[in-house]
Amino acid sequence: MHTNSTATGAAPATGGRPGVPAPSGGLSGGATDGGSGAHALWRFLPAVSAYLLLVGLLLAADTRVGDIARYTFYAGWGVVLPGTLVFRALRRRPHTLLEDLVFGAVTGLVLELAAWAVLVRAGLQSVAVGWPLAVVVPFALVPGLRRHWRPGGYRRLSLGCSWSTAAVVGLTSLYYYQVFLSKFPVLATDERSRLFGDMPYMLSLAADAKQHVPLTVPQVAGEPLHYHWFTFAHMAMTDMVGHIDLPVVETRLLVPAFAALGVLIMTVVAQRITGRAWAGPLAALLLFAVGEFTAVYPNTVMSWTFGAPAVRLMSWSSMSLTYSQPLLIALVGVVADGLRRVGGPGGEDGPFRAPQFGRGVFVLTAMFATASSAAKASTLPVALAGLAVAGLAVVIRSRCIPWTVVGLGGAIAGAQLFATAVIFDFESYGLEVIPFGNIQKYWAEPLEGRPVLAQSGLVVAVLIAFFLNHQIKLLGAVPLLWRRRLRLEPAQWFLLGAAVAGPAAYLVVNGYNASYFTISAMPFGAVLSAWGYCEAFERARLPRAGKAALAVGAVALTGLLTWLSYRYSATWETFLHEHTGDGTGTEPYTPLLPALGVAAAFAVLALLLGLLWRLLSRGARGLRRRGGVVLLTAGLTLGTPGLALDAVQAQEMMWDGSWVMPASQVNAARWIRSHSAPSDILATNSHCWQYEDYADGLPCANYRSHWLSGYSERSVLIEGWAYAPRLMATANGASASGSPFWDTELFQLNEAAFYAPTPDILKRLHRDHKVRYLVVQRKAGEESPQLRNLAKQVFDNGRVAVYELS
C-alpha cells in the first residue's frame, strides 16, 4: 500500500506545493517508500542482484565465504550504520533511501578515520569492533536523534533506473574480476606466483597503520611518511573491526567494493545536481566505462602517452585513488548543493528535484574535504579551482561577495592546509611548475628545425591528442555550454571549472603524478557531461523505437570499435609509421599517430553522415533535430573500447607491472608475523624490487623491496628505500629506484650483520635499533656461516632463513 505521508520536517513527495502533481522523470509517481513486503522485495532486487553477482565473482576468485561474510558485516556495522545516522542528522530533509545509505557510507569512512586515530593512539586496537557504539548509543538514547533510525518521505527511483545503476555496478565487478581478482592470488602459491609490484608496499602501509599514528615508512623503521595514507588507515580498520587478513582486503575485497560505492555515489550526486534521475547511471557509466581514446592494442605502460590511464589505474593498482574517488564525488555533491544557496536552481529545473541539505552542507563539506585531503593529494586543488570559478561567476553576476562560496572554500582550503602542513609536511614529491613539461616532448623540433606553420600545427595536434586521450567523456557538456551561451548556474560553473582545472594542472605541473590531477577532474566532467546529454536527449523527444535504436547503435558501435582496435591496431600503427614523418616511426609524435589518424577518419565520416542525415531529414520529419543526439552518442562511444580491451588484454598477457613473488618469501614473512610482536623490528639483506633482480651476482639497481614488511606486517630496519619521501622529492615524483641509502653507516652495519657478523654488531642491532629477527634472502646473498654460531636460527625453508637476536 502506497502512502503520501512524510516524516516530520520532510518535504512532501510533490515538492512541497499543494495541488501540484509530482513530476515523473524516472520516479514512481510521487509515492513515498512503503508498501507490501513482496513489493519492497521487488524494489530491492536490483541491489540484491548486484551484490550476489559480486559474491559469485569473489567465490570464483577463491575468496572464502567467511571473509565475504565478515566484510559484509564490517561494511554494514563499521561504515554504513554510523555514517548513515550522522548523515541523516546533518541533512535537512530526506530525498531517496539510496542517497541516505550511499552518502552515509562515505560519511562513515570519515568517522572511521577519527575512530582509527583514537584507537591506535590509545592502543585499543583489540576493541575496535565496538567503536560504532559511540554513534549508535546516542542515536538510540537521545529523543531528538531517534527519529533518524526510520525517516519517512523517501522518493523512489523507477525500476528501470535502479536496474541501470545495478548494471553499471555489475559491469565494474566483472571488469575487476577479469583484470585483477582472477589474475593475482591472495598469497603466493608457488615459486613463480606473480602480483602487481606495488601491492606488497601498499600492504605494508596498511600494516603500519595498525600500529602508528601518523604512519611511518615500514621499509625504513622510524622514517616519517609524508604521503596521502588515509587509504591504509581504512584498510587497517577493516582488519581490526572485521578481523579480515590484510592480503584478503587488498587483493579481493576493497577494489570491487569501492568501485561499487563509486558508482552509487556518482549516481546519487548526478541525480541531485542535475535534477534528473537518469543522469545518475549515465554519469556513472561515463566515469567508469568511457576511458582513453588511444587506438592502440595492447595498451602497456610503454604506450601510455599522457600519464596514468583512467580505467586501469582507477582502482586496483592505485589503492589511494580507489579510496579517494567516493570521497571526492561526495564532496562534489555537497559543494554543488551549497551553491544552490547563492543563485540558480542547481538542478531544480529537472523533474527529480532534491531538497537542499541545509546548513549541514558546511559540516559535510569540511568532513569530506578533510578525508579527501590525505586520501589523494590531487583532489582538493581541483575542487578549489572549480569553486573559485563558480565564486567569480557569482561575483560578476551579482556584484556582491557570495559568503556561502567563501564558507565552502574556507572549509576546503582549511582541509588542504591541514594535509599540506601536517600530513605532507610541505613535501612536493618533485613536482614543479613547467608549462607543457609533460607533453612538449611530442613536438620537440629536430636539429634542423621545422617550419613555423608545421610546428604550430604539430602543437595543436598534440593538444587534440591529449583531449582525445582523457576528455572524451566531456563531450556531453558541449550542447549544454552551447545552448546556455555560458550563462551557467553556479553549480555548472563549479563543475566546468574543476573539469578544466584538472587537465590544465597536468599541462602546467611537470611530473608523472601530475596526471592524477586529470583523473581527479573526471567526476566533475562526468556529471556536467551527463547533464548536457540528458538535456540534448530530452530536446530530441525520441519515440520509444528511436530510443531503442540509439541504445542498440551505441552497443553495436562499441563492439565494432573494440573489434577493429583488437584486430587492426598493429596494422594501422605500422601503416602510419611508414607513411608519415621519416618513415621509420622515430619522430617524437609517433606514439600519438594512431589516435590522431583514427580521430581524423571518424571526423570525416561524421561530416559525411551529417550531410546525409541533413538531406534525408528534408523528407523524413522524424529525423529532424535528432541528428545532434545521435552524433553526441557516437562521440561518447569512442572511449568505450578501452574497458573491453583492458579485459581482453588481461587474459592474453600478464601486465608488465607484475613480477614474481615466491611462496618461500611469503611463507617466511607470514611465519614471522605469527611469531613476533607488532613492535618488533626486522633486518634483512633483501633490498631489490623483484626476485629476478638478483641475477648472476650483479649489484641491485632497483631498491624497491617491500615483501618482508608487507607480509610480515612488521617494520624493517632497512629493506627497500626507493619510496621514501626524502628520495622521491629528488626524482620528479617517481621512485628513486637506483639511489643509494642515505645513511651509509647504518647500511654498512645492516649488511655486516649478514655477511661479516660479530657479537658487537648483532648487539648493536638488538640494543640500539630494537632488531629481533635477521631475515636472509639467499638469492640476494648467502649469510656468513658465523651467523649460526652468534644467533639462533628459528626458520629455514632453503630460500629464506630467519635468525633471532636476544
Side-chain angles (χ1 to χ4, degrees):
M1 175 178 172
H2 297 281
T3 67
N4 288 323
S5 61
T6 60
T8 303
T14 59
R17 290 178 294 170
V20 179
S24 55
L27 286 173
S28 178
T32 60
D33 271 341
S36 66
H39 188 70
L41 180 62
W42 179 254
R43 288 190 289 106
F44 285 108
L45 186 59
V48 173
S49 300
Y51 173 77
L52 292 179
L53 172 62
L54 177 55
V55 169
L57 294 173
L58 289 172
L59 292 174
D62 297 323
T63 312
R64 293 183 299 181
V65 174
D67 287 330
I68 299 174
R70 281 190 290 270
Y71 191 75
T72 302
F73 161 77
Y74 153 75
W77 167 251
V79 178
V80 177
L81 176 60
T84 299
L85 290 173
V86 171
F87 174 74
R88 284 171 174 170
L90 290 173
R91 61 106 171 99
R92 185 167 58 186
R93 295 197 300 269
H95 182 42
T96 67
L97 176 61
L98 178 63
E99 180 177 271
D100 268 11
L101 294 177
V102 175
F103 266 108
V106 181
T107 304
L109 294 176
V110 182
L111 299 176
E112 180 187 62
L113 285 173
W116 163 80
V118 172
L119 291 167
V120 175
R121 178 72 75 172
L124 299 175
Q125 295 92 326
S126 61
V127 298
V129 69
W131 86 261
L133 292 173
V135 175
V136 170
V137 171
F139 275 81
L141 298 181
V142 178
L145 296 177
R146 282 189 202 143
R147 62 188 178 90
H148 297 300
W149 285 95
R150 295 193 62 178
Y154 286 130
R155 303 179 75 176
R156 280 202 301 271
L157 291 171
S158 68
L159 284 176
C161 195
S162 297
W163 277 110
S164 298
T165 302
V168 181
V169 171
L171 178 64
T172 65
S173 299
L174 289 168
Y175 170 74
Y176 289 115
Y177 175 80
Q178 285 290 98
V179 303
F180 178 57
L181 301 178
S182 65
K183 300 300 290 184
F184 303 118
V186 174
L187 295 171
T189 56
D190 55 46
E191 295 303 291
R192 302 303 300 172
S193 289
R194 301 185 72 89
L195 80 172
F196 169 55
D198 278 351
M199 290 178 70
Y201 174 67
M202 294 185 283
L203 191 65
S204 73
L205 296 184
D208 191 79
K210 292 163 61 177
Q211 308 302 328
H212 298 121
V213 181
L215 270 63
T216 61
V217 178
Q219 294 76 34
V220 185
E223 179 75 4
L225 181 66
H226 307 306
Y227 182 68
H228 41 239
W229 45 255
F230 280 5
T231 308
F232 310 105
H234 163 75
M235 292 174 66
M237 285 293 281
T238 308
D239 180 308
M240 296 187 313
V241 175
H243 299 288
I244 308 169
D245 204 4
L246 280 178
V248 179
V249 176
E250 180 186 48
T251 62
R252 291 295 180 268
L253 302 173
L254 186 145
V255 170
F258 269 78
L261 179 58
V263 168
L264 295 175
I265 190 65
M266 174 55 77
T267 297
V268 299
V269 164
Q271 289 171 344
R272 167 169 283 275
I273 294 177
T274 67
R276 290 164 173 81
W278 282 100
L282 176 59
L285 194 65
L286 290 175
L287 180 64
F288 290 96
V290 178
E292 291 73 36
F293 179 82
T294 63
V296 171
Y297 182 84
N299 186 21
T300 62
V301 174
M302 297 304 296
S303 66
W304 295 348
T305 51
F306 298 105
V311 174
R312 171 170 282 153
L313 276 188
M314 183 185 69
S315 288
W316 66 266
S317 60
S318 178
M319 296 288 178
S320 57
L321 188 59
T322 306
Y323 176 79
S324 69
Q325 283 263 13
L327 292 166
L328 175 60
I329 296 169
L331 179 64
V332 173
V334 296
V335 171
D337 186 84
L339 290 173
R340 294 166 66 181
R341 300 162 62 97
V342 297
E348 290 193 5
D349 60 325
F352 197 56
R353 295 188 296 270
Q356 290 184 325
F357 285 136
R359 294 186 181 276
V361 72
F362 296 100
V363 179
L364 291 169
T365 297
M367 291 176 64
F368 297 151
T370 301
S372 296
S373 67
K376 195 69 176 176
S378 56
T379 57
L380 292 194
V382 172
L384 270 174
L387 191 57
V389 170
L392 180 61
V394 173
V395 169
I396 293 174
R397 186 191 65 197
S398 65
R399 298 183 181 180
C400 63
I401 298 176
W403 292 110
T404 296
V405 176
V406 173
L408 295 171
I412 299 176
Q416 180 65 62
L417 180 61
F418 160 77
T420 303
V422 178
I423 305 297
F424 306 143
D425 194 30
F426 299 99
E427 186 64 67
S428 68
Y429 274 82
L431 296 178
E432 53 185 337
V433 176
I434 301 178
F436 302 110
N438 290 314
I439 67 171
Q440 60 186 0
K441 59 185 178 182
Y442 296 118
W443 64 61
E445 295 188 58
L447 293 176
E448 62 274 15
R450 286 194 190 96
V452 174
L453 186 60
Q455 181 67 11
S456 301
L458 181 56
V459 171
V460 172
V462 172
L463 293 175
I464 291 174
F466 174 68
F467 174 83
L468 290 171
N469 187 258
H470 272 95
Q471 309 301 319
I472 284 289
K473 58 172 57 72
L474 281 178
L475 285 176
V478 174
L480 184 145
L481 301 178
W482 177 264
R483 184 174 179 82
R484 302 198 181 206
R485 301 295 192 272
L486 292 181
R487 293 189 292 271
L488 304 179
E489 302 163 11
Q492 292 168 335
W493 279 117
F494 169 60
L495 297 173
L496 178 62
V500 173
Y506 176 76
L507 296 177
V508 173
V509 179
N510 188 51
Y512 173 83
N513 285 334
S515 60
Y516 287 100
F517 287 114
T518 307
I519 295 176
S520 293
M522 289 180 179
F524 301 86
V527 175
L528 192 67
S529 187
W531 198 338
Y533 185 90
C534 282
E535 288 193 356
F537 188 85
E538 291 164 2
R539 288 194 301 272
R541 298 183 181 277
L542 292 173
R544 181 172 298 179
K547 296 176 182 177
L550 190 64
V552 171
V555 173
L557 183 58
T558 295
L560 176 62
L561 294 176
T562 302
W563 179 77
L564 289 174
S565 296
Y566 177 78
R567 178 67 178 81
Y568 294 107
S569 60
T571 304
W572 174 246
E573 190 170 5
T574 301
F575 172 83
L576 290 171
H577 290 176
E578 292 176 350
H579 294 82
T580 59
D582 60 3
T584 64
T586 59
E587 292 283 1
Y589 53 77
T590 294
L592 308 181
L593 290 178
L596 287 171
V598 171
F602 271 103
V604 172
L605 181 62
L607 179 61
L608 294 176
L609 291 178
L611 293 174
L612 179 61
W613 186 285
R614 188 175 184 86
L615 289 174
L616 293 176
S617 64
R618 293 178 179 177
R621 297 178 60 88
L623 298 180
R624 295 178 185 177
R625 300 183 181 276
R626 289 169 175 168
V629 73
V630 174
L631 179 62
L632 184 60
T633 303
L636 291 170
T637 304
L638 294 179
T640 53
L643 200 70
L645 290 173
D646 240 14
V648 173
Q649 182 177 327
Q651 298 306 306
E652 292 189 343
M653 63 189 70
M654 182 63 69
W655 188 41
D656 49 8
S658 64
W659 51 279
V660 172
M661 173 53 67
S664 58
Q665 295 181 189
V666 174
N667 293 338
R670 300 277 287 180
W671 183 92
I672 294 171
R673 175 177 175 267
S674 300
H675 294 80
S676 63
S679 59
D680 287 338
I681 305 296
L682 314 179
T684 185
N685 66 332
S686 175
H687 309 299
C688 274
W689 189 25
Q690 55 179 317
Y691 194 70
E692 289 89 342
D693 283 344
Y694 303 107
D696 302 323
L698 297 176
C700 180
N702 192 338
Y703 300 111
R704 285 192 282 177
S705 177
H706 308 127
W707 67 271
L708 180 57
S709 53
Y711 289 104
S712 71
E713 300 187 15
R714 304 291 180 259
S715 292
V716 184
L717 183 65
I718 304 175
E719 187 182 7
W721 54 85
Y723 285 161
R726 69 167 73 196
L727 291 182
M728 291 189 69
T730 67
N732 199 28
S735 64
S737 57
S739 299
F741 189 67
W742 56 85
D743 190 335
T744 304
E745 182 180 350
L746 181 61
F747 183 73
Q748 291 175 346
L749 176 68
N750 182 89
E751 298 303 283
F754 297 94
Y755 304 123
T758 66
D760 180 63
I761 288 174
L762 300 186
K763 182 178 181 180
R764 288 171 60 191
L765 282 180
H766 183 62
R767 181 193 63 202
D768 300 340
H769 300 285
K770 312 303 180 185
V771 172
R772 179 179 178 187
Y773 288 119
L774 301 180
V775 184
V776 182
Q777 186 194 40
R778 294 193 171 119
K779 181 75 170 178
E782 294 276 351
E783 72 271 31
S784 168
Q786 290 298 318
L787 191 57
R788 291 182 176 86
N789 300 324
L790 299 174
K792 178 183 178 182
Q793 188 180 67
V794 292
F795 180 91
D796 192 339
N797 62 17
R799 294 173 180 260
V800 180
V802 181
Y803 294 84
E804 184 176 10
L805 302 182
S806 59

